[in-house]
Amino acid sequence: ELDAWPRERIFSECGLPWVPPSPNMPTPETALAYAGTCLFEGVNMNEGRGTDTPFLLIGAPWLDAEAVAGTIVENERPGCRLEPVRYTPVPIPGKASKPAYQNVPCAGIRIVIEDAPRVRSFTLALALLCAIRRRHPDDLKFTPHFDALAGTSDLRQRILGGEPALEIVARYEKDLRRFDATRPRLYQ
């Protein structure tokens, strides 16, 4: 029951056991990152499926992970640090039967959550996508599913246009405030 739950409280402060809502949502940290890193399901990269840390790991065989991670500044990754890693996605029964780049060694970026209340997973994912696009303009490909995940083609077009991640986030801020002011409130 969520009657007394303040929205600013993160899961670890609730004193409850984690019950995965999905096989690919094994931890509260995964759920926190998923709000942004789910966008990687709409590009030709692995989003951590086929590993023990889905949505906290992104990669591809062609990714220059060190260079990309090195361009993400603190205000693009609040509450997180990024670690370049090597990994190979493998089938995991009941979780990832055919992960992207199955059995192919990938260069990746692991997202390590250090301060969960500060995490802004959409900002982080957008910063990663923009940096990957700058570093690998011919390798990063968007699928039609990306626009469905984003709810519009606008986000993809802004990334392809080279707009910086924080500028994109700022553009959406006005709409977010307008939505927040009009959304139904169950508890005041």
Side-chain angles (χ1 to χ4, degrees):
E1 185 167 310
L2 297 175
D3 287 348
W5 175 65
R7 292 187 67 79
E8 64 277 359
R9 183 178 291 166
I10 60 172
F11 186 81
S12 63
E13 297 172 327
C14 296
L16 299 170
W18 177 254
V19 178
S22 160
N24 284 295
M25 196 80 52
T27 67
E29 292 77 18
T30 307
L32 186 58
Y34 178 80
T37 58
C38 70
L39 291 172
F40 284 90
E41 294 179 290
V43 297
N44 63 330
M45 295 183 70
N46 174 276
E47 72 286 337
R49 289 183 198 266
T51 75
D52 291 336
T53 55
F55 302 105
L56 289 168
L57 181 63
I58 57 106
W62 45 262
L63 180 66
D64 185 342
E66 271 190 54
V68 169
T71 66
I72 308 299
V73 296
E74 166 62 28
N75 59 345
E76 293 176 322
R77 56 172 177 78
C80 299
R81 72 181 153 78
L82 304 176
E83 297 177 346
V85 296
R86 302 272 321 155
Y87 72 101
T88 302
V90 297
I92 301 175
K95 293 184 179 185
S97 60
K98 293 182 181 178
Y101 298 112
Q102 177 176 314
N103 298 320
V104 177
C106 291
I109 299 172
R110 181 177 311 285
I111 299 163
V112 180
I113 295 178
E114 297 182 316
D115 187 1
R118 291 185 55 230
V119 171
R120 298 296 173 262
S121 59
F122 176 75
T123 301
L124 171 60
L126 188 54
L128 286 166
L129 285 164
C130 289
I132 293 166
R133 171 71 180 157
R134 281 191 308 273
R135 183 72 181 187
H136 300 283
D138 296 328
D139 296 310
L140 181 67
K141 307 288 185 211
F142 290 82
T143 70
H145 187 55
F146 185 89
D147 291 354
L149 289 166
T152 174
S153 64
D154 185 70
L155 183 60
R156 176 180 47 80
Q157 291 169 353
R158 290 183 186 285
I159 294 167
L160 290 172
E163 195 168 331
L166 293 177
E167 286 182 24
I168 297 171
V169 170
R171 285 184 180 275
Y172 292 143
E173 196 64 36
K174 185 171 112 181
D175 291 334
L176 180 60
R177 281 194 304 273
R178 185 170 49 242
F179 169 78
D180 195 46
T182 60
R183 72 180 170 88
R185 302 246 192 258
L186 298 177
Y187 304 101
Q188 296 292 338

